[in-house]
Amino acid sequence: MDIKLVPYERRTKTDETERHSYLRKILSQISGKGEKADKGLVETKSLDREDGGLEKTENSQAPFLFIPRGQRSRGRVAKRQTAELLHTAEEIVEECQSPRKCQKRKCRHKTNSSNLKGIPARRSRPARRSRGVSNTTSNLRGKINDALFQRCFLKIWEESPEEKRNLCTFMECIWFSMYTNDHWRKRVLTWIKKINIFSKEYVLVPIVLWSHWYLLIFCHLGESSESKTRNPCILLLNSLRELDRGLEPLIRRLVIDIYETEERPVDKKLITKIPLLVPKVPQQTNSEECGIFVLYYANLFLQNTPENFSTSYGYPYFMKDDWFGKEELEGFCKRLEAVEAESHDVDE
C-alpha cells in the first residue's frame, strides 16, 4: 500500500488512518513483534474533531499532546505523529545495528565489515578458540587457525639467527586473504608499504586461502631480471604440490600493486615474466597438516637463507624432497608445544 502524497491541511480521516496504519506495519516488521514499535506511539482513535485537534489517546505522554487544543491544526498534529513514528523506527534500526546490543540480546545480526578497525601490524594477539571447531590438537597436528599460526610464526622469527633475519621481512598471515577482498585491498597495501620490502632480499608471505596454508617467498624484488646472482623470482612452498590455478593471478596482481604503491616504475609484462617456482618439498600425509608444514618451511628457510638467490646456480638449494623427515617434523612440533600451551592458558 502506497502513502498518498496529500497536503496535511487537505487530508481526510481515511488518508490519515491509512498513513499511520502503513507506518505502524513497517515498524512492526522491523521490530519483529510490533510491541516495541508501538511503545511511545500515539494510537489515534479519532481524527475527526470539530476543533481540528485529536482525541486523547492511550499514551498521553507524547510531547505534541501538551499543545493546547485550540492551537493545534490537523496538519501540525499529523506532522508530529509522523515524526514520532520515524524517530521510533530509527531507534529500532540503530539498536539492531549496534554490535554491543546485539550481543546482549543474542541477535543474529552480523556486523558490517566496513565498521571493523584496522588490524595493526607486528602485534601478537592471543589465540581464540572458535566454537564448534577444533583449531588444533595437543601436538599441533590439527587445523591451525590464523591466531595460533601467527604466534608460532613470531616465535620462529624471534629464535632465528639475526644475520638471517636482516635479509628478510614478512607479512602478517592474514594480509593476503584480506588483500583478495576489495574492501581491504588499499589498507593492506598501506601496511605492506610500511615494512619496506624492497630493502630486503626476501619477503616471507604466509597465506591461508581456500582452507589451505601456503608459504610464498618473494626473492630480490626490484632487482634486474638480467642479474645472474640475484634473480627476482617467486617461490611457492606448497605441501600439496599442486598449484591452484586461481592463486597465480592473485600473486602477480599483488606484485603489480606493490610496485605501484611504492611508486616504482612498473612494467606489467616484465612482472608476468618473473618466474613463479614451486620446489618439490616434503608433502603432508593428511588433510590437516598444511599449517605445521608451512611453519616448518619458514623455520628452515630462515635457518638456511642464502645471501643471494639465483635460478641458474644452486636452485632449488635445500628445498628438495628430502629436506626433512617425519622425526624432524615431530621434534619441531614439540618445540612449539609451549606456544600452544600458552595460547590455551590465555583462552581459559
Side-chain angles (χ1 to χ4, degrees):
M1 179 178 66
D2 297 329
I3 299 177
K4 298 179 181 180
L5 301 178
V6 181
Y8 287 110
E9 293 75 12
R10 294 165 58 183
R11 287 181 184 161
T12 64
K13 175 181 177 180
T14 303
D15 293 334
E16 290 296 328
T17 303
E18 291 178 353
R19 179 181 180 81
H20 291 291
S21 175
Y22 176 78
L23 289 174
R24 277 193 286 272
K25 182 178 179 181
I26 294 175
L27 292 175
S28 177
Q29 293 176 353
I30 295 174
S31 63
K33 294 183 179 180
E35 295 179 2
K36 197 166 189 176
D38 291 333
K39 184 178 180 180
L41 300 182
V42 176
E43 297 292 333
T44 305
K45 291 185 176 180
S46 174
L47 296 171
D48 191 14
R49 286 181 56 87
E50 295 179 357
D51 58 359
L54 294 175
E55 287 284 353
K56 193 168 183 179
T57 60
E58 294 178 2
N59 186 351
S60 61
Q61 295 181 356
F64 66 85
L65 291 179
F66 291 96
I67 300 175
R69 295 195 179 188
Q71 298 180 15
R72 298 181 197 165
S73 67
R74 180 171 298 178
R76 182 184 298 173
V77 173
K79 185 181 292 186
R80 288 179 180 273
Q81 279 190 319
T82 303
E84 284 286 325
L85 289 167
L86 294 177
H87 177 70
T88 304
E90 291 174 356
E91 288 182 345
I92 294 172
V93 172
E94 182 180 359
E95 181 178 357
C96 183
Q97 291 179 347
S98 173
R100 293 183 179 178
K101 293 183 179 180
C102 284
Q103 290 176 4
K104 289 182 179 180
R105 55 194 179 93
K106 298 181 180 180
C107 178
R108 295 183 179 180
H109 170 73
K110 295 182 179 179
T111 306
N112 191 341
S113 60
S114 62
N115 296 329
L116 297 175
K117 296 181 180 180
I119 300 177
R122 294 292 189 275
R123 180 177 296 176
S124 176
R125 294 179 294 277
R128 297 182 180 178
R129 294 177 184 173
S130 300
R131 296 181 179 179
V133 178
S134 176
N135 293 318
T136 182
T137 58
S138 60
N139 61 358
L140 289 165
R141 301 304 292 271
K143 293 181 179 179
I144 301 179
N145 64 3
D146 56 355
L148 179 57
F149 183 98
Q150 188 67 17
R151 292 176 65 87
C152 293
F153 187 90
L154 290 176
K155 184 70 172 179
I156 293 168
W157 177 264
E158 293 169 359
E159 295 179 353
S160 299
E162 184 177 358
E163 64 273 12
K164 300 297 184 181
R165 281 184 291 163
N166 292 336
L167 297 173
C168 306
T169 187
F170 66 91
M171 297 185 191
E172 302 282 326
C173 65
I174 60 173
W175 284 7
F176 191 91
S177 60
M178 292 177 68
Y179 169 80
T180 62
N181 186 316
D182 293 338
H183 174 74
W184 291 100
R185 182 170 293 116
K186 290 184 179 179
R187 189 171 298 185
V188 171
L189 291 171
T190 302
W191 297 337
I192 294 174
K193 187 176 181 179
K194 293 180 180 179
I195 63 176
N196 300 318
I197 65 176
F198 288 102
S199 65
K200 301 295 182 178
E201 305 300 330
Y202 306 98
V203 184
L204 277 64
V205 188
I207 296 176
V208 55
L209 201 64
W210 307 313
S211 301
H212 184 63
W213 286 98
Y214 307 84
L215 180 61
L216 188 68
I217 304 176
F218 294 134
C219 304
H220 302 310
L221 282 187
E223 294 290 336
S224 172
S225 58
E226 298 178 357
S227 174
K228 295 182 179 180
T229 59
R230 297 163 62 88
N231 298 140
C233 66
I234 303 171
L235 299 175
L236 183 67
L237 306 187
N238 184 4
S239 59
L240 287 179
R241 195 169 309 264
E242 296 181 1
L243 172 64
D244 293 293
R245 294 182 179 179
L247 188 57
E248 182 175 358
L250 294 174
I251 294 172
R252 296 198 181 278
R253 179 181 176 182
L254 173 61
V255 175
I256 292 174
D257 285 344
I258 289 174
Y259 271 80
E260 292 178 347
T261 303
E262 295 280 352
E263 298 180 352
R264 287 175 169 262
V266 54
D267 187 334
K268 295 182 179 179
K269 291 184 178 180
L270 290 178
I271 290 179
T272 57
K273 293 181 180 180
I274 294 178
L276 176 58
L277 308 174
V278 185
K280 296 181 179 181
V281 292
Q283 301 291 283
Q284 66 188 76
T285 56
N286 62 42
S287 61
E288 297 184 344
E289 291 183 323
C290 55
I292 193 66
F293 266 75
V294 167
L295 286 170
Y296 201 36
Y297 293 155
N299 175 75
L300 293 181
F301 188 86
L302 287 170
Q303 296 291 332
N304 301 281
T305 307
E307 292 186 6
N308 297 311
F309 192 93
S310 172
T311 54
S312 302
Y313 304 99
Y315 176 79
Y317 294 92
F318 41 79
M319 294 171 285
K320 302 177 182 178
D321 282 329
D322 59 352
W323 192 6
F324 57 86
K326 184 177 180 180
E327 294 182 358
E328 296 171 281
L329 186 64
E330 290 290 347
F332 176 71
C333 290
K334 292 180 180 180
R335 173 184 161 192
L336 294 180
E337 282 181 357
V339 179
E340 182 198 13
E342 181 183 350
S343 301
H344 287 180
D345 292 340
V346 171
D347 287 339
E348 296 174 356

